[in-house]
Amino acid sequence: MASDVIERGDIYFVYRPRVERERVHGVGEVQRLFMILQPSHDKRSRRLVIGRKHLPRPEEHERFWGFVDEVAERPEAVAEDLGRRRYDTQTRGARTQPEARPAGEGRYALVRHGDHTHLTYELELPEQPGDVQEELTIEPEASYIIAVKNPEAGTPAGASLPPQQRADLPKRKRERFEGRRFTDADPGLLDQEGIEFVLIGAAHDVEEELDVQLDAEAEDAESAEIFRRLHMTRESHPTEPLTKGEWR
């Protein structure tokens, strides 16, 4: 089947520790895993949440649920609420939500392949993946089939967003589903906050599977785009997960 690249850009992986966890020692202490897509030649950014807190394993063809958490016209806007914050609760008093940690940076492409769409990426950082990337299943290179869920389709309790948080699609986008529960993803659907999707592990080698090159370039801690584009300062967000693959 022929492959058609429908979007390219930069991809960033970021994890948020659980409340009151100042230092993370493993995926069990991660509250959320975010995947941020920054299309080339476009200031718009998307922040996606991966429901299982790690990516599907390509070799096992795992299927994981996720959703588009935020879409912003400025790249830095999707990271504005990823800093440290304190808040009060009625039962436990003051609580601290530690700042998020960058865990990967690279290049991605959305690729139409026959009757489905692939989300593919290749890492630029860290140069040598470590424990963080292994536990979060952030492979050096991977391809996933990505299918978008019909917001009007029924879902078992606990397996999707509450109805009030799901995307309210305009008529022309609802017609894409033609009554089906899923349809192939495209940029227009992924630009809808609250849209839900399924990621299915497909392959490790993007070029061999889809005949697509991702043009990843060597990066280091000083040239990392995630700090400049998303305004995630090195002083406020630990860099060891991104540069050394070490938990923080």
Side-chain angles (χ1 to χ4, degrees):
M1 291 183 288
S3 297
D4 179 26
V5 175
I6 57 177
E7 182 177 279
R8 291 182 182 271
D10 295 313
I11 187 169
Y12 310 108
F13 297 97
V14 179
Y15 68 88
R16 166 131 21 217
R18 290 185 179 274
V19 174
E20 300 293 341
R21 292 286 183 180
E22 292 297 336
R23 188 178 185 107
V24 174
H25 299 90
V27 70
E29 297 175 355
V30 170
Q31 185 182 78
R32 272 192 169 172
L33 173 63
F34 299 104
M35 183 164 58
I36 297 172
L37 304 181
Q38 172 62 55
S40 298
H41 313 300
D42 195 333
K43 292 184 178 180
R44 170 176 43 88
S45 291
R46 314 179 189 97
R47 188 173 75 196
L48 283 56
V49 171
I50 308 302
R52 294 286 294 275
K53 304 174 189 177
H54 65 89
L55 291 168
R57 294 174 178 84
E59 68 277 10
E60 297 181 16
H61 306 297
E62 292 180 313
R63 301 167 61 98
F64 286 1
W65 168 81
F67 65 95
V68 178
D69 186 36
E70 185 171 356
V71 179
E73 295 302 319
R74 297 177 295 112
E76 65 272 20
V78 297
E80 285 177 350
D81 61 349
L82 297 182
R84 173 178 293 263
R85 68 184 183 94
R86 289 181 61 82
Y87 59 95
D88 294 322
T89 67
Q90 292 183 344
T91 57
R92 298 188 178 185
R95 306 282 282 169
T96 299
Q97 173 68 74
E99 64 280 350
R101 281 80 158 135
E105 174 177 316
R107 294 285 294 170
Y108 82 92
L110 289 173
V111 182
R112 187 87 69 199
H113 189 226
D115 61 355
H116 56 273
T117 302
H118 285 249
L119 171 62
T120 68
Y121 75 85
E122 183 178 357
L123 284 185
E124 297 172 327
L125 280 174
E127 184 177 350
Q128 294 294 329
D131 291 342
V132 171
Q133 289 72 37
E134 180 178 354
E135 290 196 52
L136 296 178
T137 325
I138 302 174
E139 305 284 353
E141 182 178 347
S143 170
Y144 310 93
I145 295 173
I146 180 168
V148 170
K149 178 182 173 293
N150 186 342
E152 298 178 344
T155 306
S160 70
L161 290 173
Q164 66 272 20
Q165 294 182 23
R166 297 176 194 165
D168 183 15
L169 297 179
K171 181 179 178 181
R172 61 184 178 82
K173 285 187 168 62
R174 294 199 304 269
E175 291 173 347
R176 280 280 311 277
F177 293 92
E178 299 179 335
R180 302 187 302 265
R181 293 188 66 228
F182 290 93
T183 190
D184 53 301
D186 64 23
L189 287 172
L190 293 176
D191 282 342
Q192 304 294 314
E193 291 183 357
I195 203 73
E196 298 172 280
F197 58 84
V198 172
L199 278 184
I200 306 171
H204 285 284
D205 193 322
V206 175
E207 185 172 2
E208 179 179 348
E209 182 196 26
L210 300 173
D211 193 26
V212 170
Q213 294 187 348
L214 296 175
D215 304 322
E217 299 179 351
E219 298 281 3
D220 56 31
E222 294 303 316
S223 64
E225 290 283 331
I226 192 168
F227 300 115
R228 182 179 66 83
R229 298 293 295 277
L230 302 186
H231 295 188
M232 294 182 68
T233 65
R234 295 169 178 83
E235 295 75 23
S236 301
H237 298 271
T239 63
E240 290 88 345
L242 177 69
T243 59
K244 301 178 182 179
E246 299 175 356
W247 286 109
R248 278 294 307 271

